Amino acid sequence: LSAAALDKVVARPAGEQNWKQLEASAWIPDGSVKAPRVVYTFTDPNCPYCNRFWRDARPWVDAGKVQLRHVIVGILGPTSAPKAAALLEARDPAAALASHARDHAKGGVKPVAQVSEAARGKLEANAQLMQQLGSFATPTTFYRDAAGIVRKVQGAPSAEALASILGPL
């Protein structure tokens, strides 16, 4: 089988199921709901590579071409879950995420004193989903390629990979 044929048989059904699971996860939107491209990325608030991806994606997000959907996890350190909970439970999670990303080098969002049961449940479900999808690093990013096939990139994408993931600018 050619790579294209194999993708149709193997990658597409699993990819579509993965995409549906990502849609149902606890994510924070970054960018316009009208953006023609949606990209899911597992994000830990303490991850410097997640912050780099957030910064690198600004031209696409600011131009309205991409909506990043940050599937929030709290797995990297002791303050990850309390910071993740603060983002998920903020009055405006998208604004809180943007503020956190801008101030990442200074520590970002203030961790909550106690992670609520609701936030803990979301974070645990997101971490389980991340593991189930074979992801072991943050960021791990899921996107549709030019043929509509769901693809995965682990770690901060290279400059060359950004165009594949985010599309033309």
Side-chain angles (χ1 to χ4, degrees):
L1 286 173
S2 70
L6 190 59
D7 273 343
K8 285 182 183 175
V9 174
V10 178
R12 242 183 235 268
E16 292 305 317
Q17 179 182 355
N18 295 347
W19 196 261
K20 287 183 188 328
Q21 291 174 296
L22 289 162
E23 285 178 326
S25 68
W27 48 267
I28 296 175
D30 177 15
S32 173
V33 296
K34 295 179 181 179
R37 184 177 290 237
V38 169
V39 173
Y40 289 93
T41 187
F42 285 97
T43 301
D44 185 294
N46 286 328
C47 172
Y49 302 105
C50 298
N51 185 255
R52 182 175 131 200
F53 180 46
W54 182 89
R55 290 182 183 282
D56 289 347
R58 289 302 92 204
W60 285 268
V61 173
D62 293 345
K65 295 186 176 278
V66 173
Q67 183 187 57
L68 292 178
R69 293 180 176 176
H70 295 269
V71 182
I72 303 298
V73 294
I75 59 174
L76 291 181
T79 62
S80 290
K83 285 181 176 184
L87 294 172
L88 288 171
E89 295 182 330
R91 183 170 298 153
D92 182 346
L97 178 66
S99 177
H100 167 74
R102 284 190 300 274
D103 294 337
H104 191 267
K106 298 178 206 166
V109 70
K110 182 181 176 192
V112 296
Q114 182 75 28
V115 177
S116 72
E117 286 301 316
R120 185 178 318 286
K122 290 175 183 178
L123 292 172
E124 287 175 3
N126 283 353
Q128 287 175 352
L129 178 60
M130 184 177 168
Q131 185 176 25
Q132 178 186 334
L133 298 180
S135 304
F136 55 86
T138 54
T140 295
T141 304
F142 290 81
Y143 69 99
R144 291 185 185 277
D145 67 13
I149 296 170
V150 176
R151 302 287 182 192
K152 174 173 77 171
V153 173
Q154 295 196 90
S158 66
E160 301 80 41
L162 282 174
S164 295
I165 295 167
L166 304 175
L169 189 60

